[in-house]
Amino acid sequence: MKTSIPDSVGGMRRQHGAYFLYDARKWVFLLFIPVLRAILTRPDTIAETVSALLAFLRDFGFACLLAGWFVLRWRRALYRFRGSLTTRRGVFLTRTLQVSMEDAASIEVECSPLLWAMRSRRVHVNTAGLRRRSDVTLYLPADEARLFLPPRGAEIDGRFAASPWPVAAMSASSSNAALGLLTLAPALKQAGNILGRELPAEMMTLADRLLSLGLPPLLETTANVLIIGWSFAFIRSFFRYAGFCARRQGGCLHLISGLMTRRDVLVDCRRITALELRQTLFMRIFRLYTATITAAGYGRERGARPVVVPAARARELCAALDTLLGDYPLCSSGLRPGRRSLGRYILLPLWVTAGALLPFLMGGVWIMAGVVWLAAGLWWLAIRWMGFHRATFGVGDDAVVLRYSRGLALYEVHVPLEVADCLIVTRSPWQRRSGTCTVELRCYGEKRRRHRVWALPYDAALHLAGRLTIKPPTAV
């Protein structure tokens, strides 16, 4: 990946002072222990005063040593640009890392409110290696970090900007506790009210009283936790993707997002190994799709999600993908499960839904639990039903396509033939009797995703899998 970074003059340079704050943030609370001890301690005797003073000096000395250690780590955090990026860090054990910028698969420049106030930026440089975190993380002045990004006024081949309300719909449906807010939280609140009003008036045995002890407060607390958890997840996701803009500049994708913390991400288009379209039941009601990519070297940081289109309708999505990834291969048709395979998809959620009859038969306060159980089962059953009608495995001239359901979402994945290097066809004893199989495709990327389609006709799936056979290299 080409950048406009000039070579450093002289030797290695020290990183920005923001390195110290972000390096010590896990232990910074220990620096306030002496202050808290001095505020909270009120000695009455001379012995207690001396003991409190010695404790304060001990804590203050420990805090000074801790601060000095992180200052020393910051002073030893050095970098240099000279044809490639070289970093060096460590106090006792020095670690030097050299990365060629042409081999960089992705570059992320992050600006949080704290970094903005300090006029600095955090830069993550990733290669296609197998690591859980970024290969290089730098804290640089704002002017120097801007050199990692395309210059202002650079030619833009294509551009897509997300609208606010589709981003809000995506954030609401993909938040961790969205299901709890929509179904469980109101039901739990109502159940708590019913239990609080009706149970004291009923004639219960001692065992019933012990079992119901503390249940209404527990249900109320659970409902509040679900609402607060969903609200936090929604705000975090919305703030991350608000103002999302994607640009195609040469052979790179430039992704810009963030309301409070701005993130500029450059992704090498040659490293993209899969294009994934995701749709939850909530998003399907509004006919919205989310498009993500699987790319070597992008998506290692915690919370990073390789989104190229946060939320858009089908027509807008197609236009955005044509603009951003016009040269990416796609496959439109493929093999689908037979009608007799419907049970493989809906049998388990159907049994779970039928289990909701048990609380209804018990009656009383358990009816509300049955309503919650029934709603969750029907939600899962609807996803599996749509997953059966959308399930596809196809091999085209340039790409492989898989459509399937996993969890509470529908997925459509397109993988280029040259990177579809691991396809597994499995058959259980029950599948042998029905003549079906399961096809699983594994993609090389940071998340090592597995894409799986169930209950496909075995002979036809094996014939399509044969088209992915890797040809041996020819002798020169």
Side-chain angles (χ1 to χ4, degrees), residues 89-111:
R89 64 178 183 176
V91 178
F92 300 110
L93 182 62
T94 303
R95 179 174 177 236
T96 303
L97 180 64
Q98 185 173 357
V99 176
S100 175
M101 296 307 297
E102 294 184 355
D103 295 333
S106 68
I107 299 174
E108 179 178 353
V109 180
E110 180 180 337
C111 177

Side-chain angles (χ1 to χ4, degrees), residues 335 393-395 400 417 420 423-425 437 439-440 457-470:
L335 181 65
F393 166 57
V395 180
V400 183
L417 281 180
L423 183 72
I424 303 175
V425 180
C437 64
V439 175
E440 178 181 328
Y458 175 70
D459 296 333
L462 204 60
H463 174 72
L464 289 178
R467 300 178 60 181
L468 297 177
T469 304
I470 301 176

Side-chain angles (χ1 to χ4, degrees), residues 274 276 278 292-294 306 404 406 411 413 440-452:
E276 179 179 292
R278 180 177 180 270
T292 62
I293 58 175
T294 300
Y404 61 97
R406 185 179 68 243
Y411 295 88
V413 182
E440 178 181 328
L441 179 65
R442 300 181 181 180
C443 297
Y444 175 74
E446 301 305 324
K447 303 301 182 181
R448 296 176 179 84
R449 294 290 299 273
R450 298 181 179 183
H451 310 285
R452 187 177 301 167

Side-chain angles (χ1 to χ4, degrees), residues 183-197:
T183 58
L184 296 181
L188 286 175
K189 282 183 174 293
Q190 185 64 24
N193 295 333
I194 293 176
L195 289 174
R197 290 195 309 263

Side-chain angles (χ1 to χ4, degrees), residues 393-438:
F393 166 57
V395 180
D397 297 333
D398 301 317
V400 183
V401 62
L402 289 93
R403 298 185 182 94
Y404 61 97
S405 62
R406 185 179 68 243
L408 297 177
L410 303 171
Y411 295 88
E412 178 178 341
V413 182
H414 297 268
V415 181
L417 281 180
E418 57 268 18
V419 298
D421 52 358
C422 184
L423 183 72
I424 303 175
V425 180
T426 58
R427 302 180 72 188
S428 65
W430 295 272
Q431 289 177 326
R432 291 179 182 273
R433 297 180 57 184
S434 60
T436 60
C437 64
T438 300

